[in-house]
Amino acid sequence: LFYLAFLPLALFGSGLSWETTVLTTAAAAFAMLGLDEIGHLLEQPFQLMPLYQSAKVSMMDVADTILVTPPELFKQDQDDTDERKYPQQ
């Protein structure tokens, strides 16, 4: 932005007309700010795609899985029968 703020002064001071100064400054600003915006989009692609929300949900599911204790597979009864270990076929 510093460059774009002082570009018109430098161009007008070099002897260009004000029309040429305005057009040249506008073209340079459009190109530089456009490239800057493209750079920002390439740095953070997941905010543009639905993958960002999917990754966030997956992260929350993993956190819930880590924090919750797993359920017991079998309840411990008073009488331990072999039917539970070896079901009849």
Side-chain angles (χ1 to χ4, degrees):
L1 285 208
F2 184 76
Y3 176 78
L4 292 176
F6 290 103
L7 181 62
L9 298 174
L11 291 176
F12 191 72
S14 68
L16 292 177
S17 66
W18 67 271
E19 295 94 2
T20 308
T21 301
V22 170
L23 291 175
T24 305
T25 303
F30 181 77
M32 290 181 71
L33 295 176
L35 287 174
D36 185 48
E37 184 64 25
I38 290 171
H40 285 289
L41 293 176
L42 290 175
E43 286 176 0
Q44 299 178 357
F46 294 116
Q47 290 185 354
L48 299 176
M49 296 182 226
L51 292 176
Y52 180 75
Q53 287 80 13
S54 177
K56 191 173 181 180
V57 169
S58 296
M59 183 179 69
M60 295 302 292
D61 288 341
V62 169
D64 287 342
T65 303
I66 291 172
L67 296 176
V68 174
T69 58
E72 293 183 27
L73 296 177
F74 296 108
K75 291 186 178 182
Q76 298 295 329
D77 293 349
Q78 295 294 335
D79 57 333
D80 192 18
T81 60
D82 288 337
E83 292 179 12
R84 196 170 354 130
K85 293 180 184 174
Y86 306 105
Q88 295 179 358
Q89 296 177 359

